[in-house]
Amino acid sequence: DTAVSQTPKYLVTQMGNDKSIKCEQNLGHDTMYWYKQDSKKFLKIMFSYNNKELIINETVPNRFSPKSPDKAHLNLHINSLELGDSAVYFCASSSNIQVAGELFFGEGSRLTVL
Amino acid sequence: GDSVTQMEGPVTLSEEAFLTINCTYTATGYPSLFWYVQYPGEGLQLLLKATKADDKGSNKGFEATYRKETTSFHLEKGSVQVSDSAVYFCALRVINNDMRFGAGTRLTVKP
């Protein structure tokens, strides 16, 4: 069983479209995250949810909207896609934000905007 | 703010060579420190961690020691293999915050 799974693994779309990436974790963790990895492999935090509540929201365009229907799921919706949104998006989870423990990562979703 | 600085790559070594990837950090609190590895086309996997000063994390022949006095967590391996070729990330985390990553160091090991 995959601990953190995200779908789809690959997304190719045109500028201006709207797309979603889904993430699920079966580890019983309270906290979930979205990270963006650019072409130079740099990882940047985008959002974090703890028990379905938004706790970290970095400077991300409001075209990006996370949604957490329950603590096992954190989805990412992106409106009006731009060329600069092309990247690999990683979902991750950890036991709780109040513990400085490790993050468990999904395999990534590679988004290509044409 | 909290941040991690790791040596820039790429690093190219011959098989069985000694590896060191330097990592230093800045943190307002008392962080836990981590090394993650990313193989091509995959997500990040935890390689090792240390949660307090002088702790040594180790896994698969890799090791790193939490040095509070030098704010460092350098990754070492005595004899690298071709299969160790990957991108390595140093990271820190403090309570009530997300994980902060270094820029990553690409390692290529040649036979």
Side-chain angles (χ1 to χ4, degrees), chain B residues 31-54:
Chain B
S32 294
L33 301 174
F34 307 84
W35 277 99
Y36 277 82
V37 59
Q38 184 178 25
Y39 298 103
E42 297 184 12
L44 279 75
Q45 302 173 27
L46 179 68
L47 182 58
L48 53 85
K49 67 178 181 181
T51 58
K52 60 183 188 297
D54 300 325

Side-chain angles (χ1 to χ4, degrees), chain B residues 66-84:
Chain B
Y66 190 143
R67 301 280 187 209
K68 193 163 185 263
E69 64 276 12
T70 54
T71 62
S72 64
F73 193 54
H74 305 321
L75 182 68
E76 295 183 338
K77 187 175 185 184
S79 176
V80 293
Q81 306 300 312
V82 172
S83 57
D84 293 327

Side-chain angles (χ1 to χ4, degrees), chain B residues 14-19 60-62 76-81 84 109:
Chain B
S14 298
E15 211 165 19
E16 299 184 1
F18 185 85
L19 169 71
K60 298 181 182 179
F62 292 89
E76 295 183 338
K77 187 175 185 184
S79 176
V80 293
Q81 306 300 312
D84 293 327
V109 180

Side-chain angles (χ1 to χ4, degrees), chain A residues 33 35 37 97 101-103, chain B residues 32 36 38 49 93 96 99:
Chain A
Y33 310 81
Y35 280 83
Q37 186 176 49
I97 195 74
E102 66 258 41
L103 270 57
Chain B
S32 294
Y36 277 82
Q38 184 178 25
K49 67 178 181 181
R93 188 163 181 218
N96 292 326
M99 188 168 284

